[in-house]
Amino acid sequence: MVVCKGFFDGDYIMKNILPKIKLGKYQEEKINISLSAFEVFKRLYPDCENIFLLESLGEEGKYNRYSYIGFDPLFIISAKNNQIMIKNKVHKVGNPYAVLSAFSTLFEKKGTGEGYRGGLVGYFSHEATKYFEKAYVGYENHDFPDFEFGFYIDGLRFDKKTQKCTYFYYGKSRMEKVMSL
């Protein structure tokens, strides 16, 4: 881990870190697969340090049509006590939450269609409230970051209505890894 000296803000991140992230062209490939999203997740899980399953459950409808799997993010972003860690470098910032929003700009004009097509997936702890609620008073949890997100640039989309699976990605395809499992 490298600690960067100085105080950084969203502008620094936008000018010095984001331009170094090259996503490549958004692409999709249909996959002929007979497994459910959960079955694919179970097969990928042992070989992936970071993986997620976004499962939509309930009656068939507009908002629960798709399930998504993402694995092996390009990098992890986490924050603790006004420090944000990106690609194993720690940056002192005013508000890590404000810096986090800069990463969404990478996906604004990429891809077509509806739904998730890559980006940040993770969590905010209760203690992250201090970044956007001035009245927050709480104790400090030393075991976990205030927030942690993976920056995912590919994944699988399962359409429950059509029973089709699509592999989506930016730049280089990792379809071989998916199909080998």
Side-chain angles (χ1 to χ4, degrees), residues 143-158:
D143 296 329
F144 298 99
D146 296 333
F147 63 73
E148 186 170 72
F149 289 86
F151 189 81
Y152 293 88
I153 59 171
D154 66 348
L156 297 166
R157 177 178 55 241
F158 293 83

Side-chain angles (χ1 to χ4, degrees), residues 18-163:
L18 293 184
K20 295 177 183 174
I21 301 169
K22 305 294 184 206
L23 292 182
K25 181 182 174 191
Y26 178 80
Q27 299 177 68
E28 293 184 352
E29 296 178 34
K30 301 289 183 198
I31 299 176
N32 187 11
I33 192 166
S34 60
L35 300 172
S36 70
F38 185 63
E39 288 299 321
V40 172
F41 176 81
K42 288 192 318 187
R43 290 184 183 193
L44 287 170
Y45 181 82
D47 294 321
C48 300
E49 185 175 341
N50 293 286
I51 185 169
F52 71 84
L53 169 63
L54 298 176
E55 182 76 277
S56 56
L57 301 174
E59 293 182 33
E60 188 176 315
K62 181 179 178 181
Y63 298 108
N64 59 354
R65 179 175 174 177
Y66 299 102
S67 296
Y68 301 92
I69 295 175
F71 51 92
D72 296 336
L74 188 60
F75 55 88
I76 302 289
I77 302 169
S78 62
K80 187 76 172 167
N81 299 327
N82 291 76
Q83 293 183 339
I84 192 163
M85 183 187 298
I86 305 168
K87 292 187 170 187
N88 293 321
K89 289 186 178 179
V90 177
H91 305 272
K92 179 91 171 130
V93 295
N95 185 337
Y97 178 70
V99 171
L100 188 65
S101 66
F103 288 90
S104 65
T105 62
L106 292 170
F107 289 94
E108 284 179 2
K109 297 180 182 174
K110 302 271 187 186
T112 59
E114 293 183 35
Y116 175 78
R117 295 182 313 268
L120 298 172
V121 176
Y123 73 90
F124 287 101
S125 72
H126 180 72
E127 290 75 23
T129 306
K130 65 187 170 198
Y131 298 128
F132 45 88
E133 178 57 57
K134 292 180 183 180
Y136 173 77
V137 177
Y139 72 94
E140 195 62 38
N141 183 335
H142 299 287
D143 296 329
F144 298 99
D146 296 333
F147 63 73
E148 186 170 72
F149 289 86
F151 189 81
Y152 293 88
I153 59 171
D154 66 348
L156 297 166
R157 177 178 55 241
F158 293 83
D159 185 334
K160 294 179 199 170
K161 185 175 183 181
T162 64
Q163 299 297 308

